[in-house]
Amino acid sequence: MTPYKPEPSRESPVGRSASHSSARAVPVRALSRRSALRQLGLAGLSLLAAPTLAPALADELLKLPLPSDPRERPITHAFPQKGRMILQRTRPPLLETPMEVFDRGVFTPNDQFYVRWHWAVIPESVDVNTFRLAVRGHVNQALTLSIDDLLKMPRVELAAVNQCSGNSRGFFLPRVPGAQWAHGAMGNARWTGVRLKDVLDRAGVKAGAVQVRFDGLDEPVVPEAPDFKKSIDIDHARDGEVMIAYAMNGEQLPLLNGFPLRLIVPGWYSTYWVKMLSDIEVLDKPDDNFWMAVAYTIPDTPHANIAPGQTGVKMVPISRMEPRSFFTNVEEGSSFAVDTQLPVRGIAFGGDSGVAKVELSSDSGKSWQPTMLGKDHGKYSFRQWETNLALPGTGNHALMVRCTNLGGDVQPTSPNWNNSGFMRNVAETVQVVAI
Amino acid sequence: MSKYILVEYILVGCLTAGLLASTPALAEPLPAIKSTSVDLPTGDSLFPGGASADAINNNCLACHSTEMVLNQPALPKATWEAEVHKMINVYKAPIEDADVPAIVDYLVSTKGEK
């Protein structure tokens, strides 16, 4: 049994994929048949249950643990500045982060950070010498800022999770249309840039401003289609946390993650984190554009939950994230040596506040045991959790993990449902077998 | 002392002082921001199915590649009809009215709930 280390040495170097993650023996590492085979003999692990990943040449196809077909997705290395990714859609790109990446550390390497675009017209070249960020609208002095201008402003850094509103949509039952993500439409990075507040102050926000709208360089293929723009309230925009990032994990952003500038809205879903940010417009009335008023709206109910088919529900723009937690070294169908203490671990995040605790259940949620939390990188960051677990009898066991955030919100044990497949945050379950 | 540890000390100081939660990143060197050019994969494969896929191939691939559809689960016919009309009415897909039934038929036959 490997003792828990508060600062795990397996944490990957920021911005690079880890090459030393196998330095630490991990008896229950079962994220792929190959990695499981590597661990055979370390703790009596065997592979009675069907592995959920394609064997051996998993570089070609990977089987997501979705509730119905199609489950297989290609693994791709074909996207610029991107490494091994799950291909959900080529154009416009939807690239999912493989779950094992989250086992290597709390910071997601840039080259495996998930990718999601709405419109297919994405500039393939950005010249940082001519690029300008416009700040305009209900301000005293419109600005056109160069990258150099921003680099000269006070610099801030923040670790924050970026999660797609529809992360884990593929697990919704009944199934709903949309990108059929498993859990990898999320990532955590150290974002470096300037406070949005400082930029707005430089322009001088006029009295009566109510929202700030953000637009990027991407465009719809059909010019009449609604350009992707998002807005947040003026007080939120000036809270000193919302930032304009020019670096993630210490390096410039990959183009597909929003180079050269991306809005960072800590604790809020990624739909607001506008990529290739080029235009900031201060509004004196609420934004009623399609992407605020219709798209990315959720039922105004706890966990955005409704019954399938329910109508007449008040809809509101999606906003704050809720706590979530995941297993990163136990996969659906994994085998455990019975009555043997084995390390189980994963990641959690609190949503719009920090992680207070992460608990594990090995009896389908009837009882919960505490886990130890890893290093705290700030309230918006992933946080690792780890515990030791012994399964007391042979046969099937349902392992569950749940996070409680510092605001007191705890993951529910039954899943939410809505038409868009947004905001899943049920305590996740993996079925394992003790042998 | 690593640069990140130093940054975290600054963070602790800021929080203690009741200042901003974001961190003055004074310990970091300025990251180099360099002009970037890439080539994105074109994603120009066609829907399988021969003539039955003509309508969807002719109308739907300008805006997105085939996987948007092929990775969907089985869904009710009403859902597929709604998706096609959303593409037309909301996302302004220039789809010929006469082609709509053939597109819906293709979706229902390949991705319909049985």
Side-chain angles (χ1 to χ4, degrees):
Chain A
M1 189 172 76
T2 310
Y4 179 71
K5 296 174 185 172
E7 293 188 39
S9 59
R10 64 178 173 273
E11 197 160 300
S12 66
V14 170
R16 292 186 292 269
S17 55
S19 58
H20 61 280
S21 60
S22 59
R24 194 161 164 267
V26 183
V28 196
R29 183 174 174 81
L31 282 163
S32 73
R33 179 187 282 257
R34 281 181 300 169
S35 58
L37 287 172
R38 273 205 300 276
Q39 304 303 334
L40 268 174
L42 287 175
L45 179 70
S46 81
L47 289 168
L48 293 184
T52 56
L53 299 190
L57 294 174
D59 276 359
E60 275 72 49
L61 282 178
L62 181 142
K63 194 168 183 180
L64 300 175
L66 302 179
S68 61
D69 286 334
R71 299 181 176 91
E72 289 189 340
R73 301 287 187 277
I75 289 291
T76 180
H77 291 84
F79 286 80
Q81 303 171 308
K82 288 286 152 184
R84 185 178 190 274
M85 299 296 287
I86 301 166
L87 180 61
Q88 291 279 8
R89 183 179 69 192
T90 304
R91 174 175 53 84
L94 298 177
L95 307 177
E96 178 164 349
T97 302
M99 210 60 197
E100 71 263 17
V101 173
F102 303 119
D103 195 52
R104 296 185 193 132
V106 292
F107 291 105
T108 314
N110 291 2
D111 71 348
Q112 290 191 288
F113 208 98
Y114 87 100
V115 168
R116 190 264 186 269
W117 290 84
H118 298 85
W119 293 125
V121 180
I122 302 166
E124 291 181 305
S125 292
V126 176
D127 182 337
V128 296
N129 299 309
T130 58
F131 175 88
R132 294 292 182 275
L133 171 64
V135 185
R136 62 191 179 90
H138 204 61
V139 296
N140 293 323
Q141 173 68 54
L143 307 173
T144 52
L145 300 171
S146 67
I147 299 294
D148 265 354
D149 292 335
L150 293 170
L151 289 171
K152 289 171 187 159
M153 292 179 66
R155 196 148 41 108
V156 293
E157 184 175 281
L158 183 77
V161 172
N162 172 298
Q163 181 187 212
C164 181
S165 306
N167 190 26
S168 315
R169 179 183 290 116
F171 297 100
F172 271 59
L173 282 174
R175 302 289 297 271
V176 293
Q180 300 300 319
W181 303 111
H183 297 313
M186 62 176 185
N188 184 48
R190 297 179 189 272
W191 307 96
T192 307
V194 299
R195 294 182 189 92
L196 176 61
K197 176 183 189 300
D198 291 346
V199 170
L200 292 174
D201 286 352
R202 198 161 154 177
V205 173
K206 287 183 178 172
V210 296
Q211 285 196 318
V212 184
R213 179 157 67 188
F214 306 91
D215 189 9
L217 295 177
D218 55 323
E219 294 173 18
V221 175
V222 182
E224 298 77 33
D227 190 15
F228 182 74
K229 299 179 183 186
K230 297 296 292 188
S231 296
I232 59 175
D233 288 347
I234 186 71
D235 290 346
H236 187 188
R238 292 197 288 196
D239 72 356
E241 289 191 335
V242 178
M243 59 186 280
I244 300 166
Y246 45 69
M248 64 188 279
N249 294 325
E251 298 175 353
Q252 70 181 43
L253 282 70
L255 184 132
L256 287 174
N257 293 109
F259 180 79
L261 300 175
R262 181 169 201 172
L263 191 72
I264 307 302
V265 189
W268 282 44
Y269 283 97
S270 179
T271 182
Y272 295 96
W273 298 40
V274 171
K275 298 183 290 296
M276 287 190 175
L277 177 67
S278 59
D279 188 74
I280 297 175
E281 182 183 5
V282 179
L283 305 177
D284 62 0
K285 54 181 184 295
D287 187 6
D288 61 356
N289 106 75
F290 168 77
W291 296 102
M292 291 299 297
V294 181
Y296 289 104
T297 58
I298 55 169
D300 189 15
T301 59
H303 304 291
N305 184 45
I306 61 171
Q310 186 178 343
T311 57
V313 184
K314 184 190 176 193
M315 302 294 282
V316 295
I318 197 169
S319 59
R320 292 173 173 80
M321 296 196 293
E322 297 187 329
R324 297 197 71 180
S325 54
F326 303 90
F327 295 93
T328 59
N329 73 333
V330 183
E331 185 183 61
E332 185 76 13
S334 302
S335 301
F336 274 59
V338 68
D339 289 326
T340 307
Q341 291 279 335
L342 294 170
V344 173
R345 65 167 180 265
I347 54 166
F349 60 98
D352 67 343
S353 69
V355 173
K357 62 179 177 180
V358 175
E359 298 164 291
L360 179 78
S361 172
S362 55
D363 55 9
S364 305
K366 288 191 274 293
S367 64
W368 295 86
Q369 68 181 70
T371 71
M372 291 186 67
L373 296 179
K375 185 175 178 179
D376 184 359
H377 294 276
K379 66 179 181 176
Y380 298 117
S381 174
F382 281 157
R383 194 153 177 193
Q384 279 179 314
W385 61 267
E386 183 160 11
T387 191
N388 292 306
L389 178 68
L391 293 176
T394 57
N396 296 325
H397 298 265
L399 305 186
M400 300 177 74
V401 62
R402 73 178 182 191
C403 173
T404 302
N405 72 15
L406 289 169
D409 292 335
V410 58
Q411 291 183 254
T413 50
S414 55
N416 70 329
W417 193 92
N418 52 63
N419 295 294
S420 299
F422 286 156
M423 289 182 70
R424 179 176 168 97
N425 88 318
V426 63
E428 298 294 342
T429 301
V430 291
Q431 302 289 339
V432 300
V433 58
I435 53 177
Chain B
M1 181 185 295
S2 84
K3 55 189 179 180
Y4 292 118
I5 291 172
L6 182 56
V7 167
E8 277 143 19
Y9 280 131
I10 296 170
L11 174 62
V12 168
C14 286
L15 292 175
T16 306
L19 298 177
L20 298 166
S22 53
T23 313
L26 301 174
E28 302 270 356
L30 269 173
I33 311 293
K34 294 179 181 167
S35 296
T36 297
S37 287
V38 302
D39 288 313
L40 296 177
T42 51
D44 49 10
S45 64
L46 294 175
F47 286 99
S52 71
D54 282 352
I56 195 168
N57 277 324
N58 290 338
N59 285 283
C60 300
L61 294 177
C63 291
H64 60 75
S65 53
T66 55
E67 310 100 316
M68 186 71 248
V69 172
L70 298 177
N71 285 335
Q72 296 302 312
L75 296 166
K77 182 177 183 182
T79 301
W80 283 122
E81 287 173 334
E83 284 297 310
V84 173
H85 286 106
K86 182 171 81 176
M87 296 300 149
I88 295 169
N89 297 326
V90 178
Y91 297 131
K92 309 301 178 188
I95 296 176
E96 300 282 340
D97 285 349
D99 285 341
V100 170
I103 295 169
V104 172
D105 283 351
Y106 181 87
L107 294 168
V108 171
S109 68
T110 57
K111 292 289 173 182
E113 281 186 344
K114 300 293 186 281

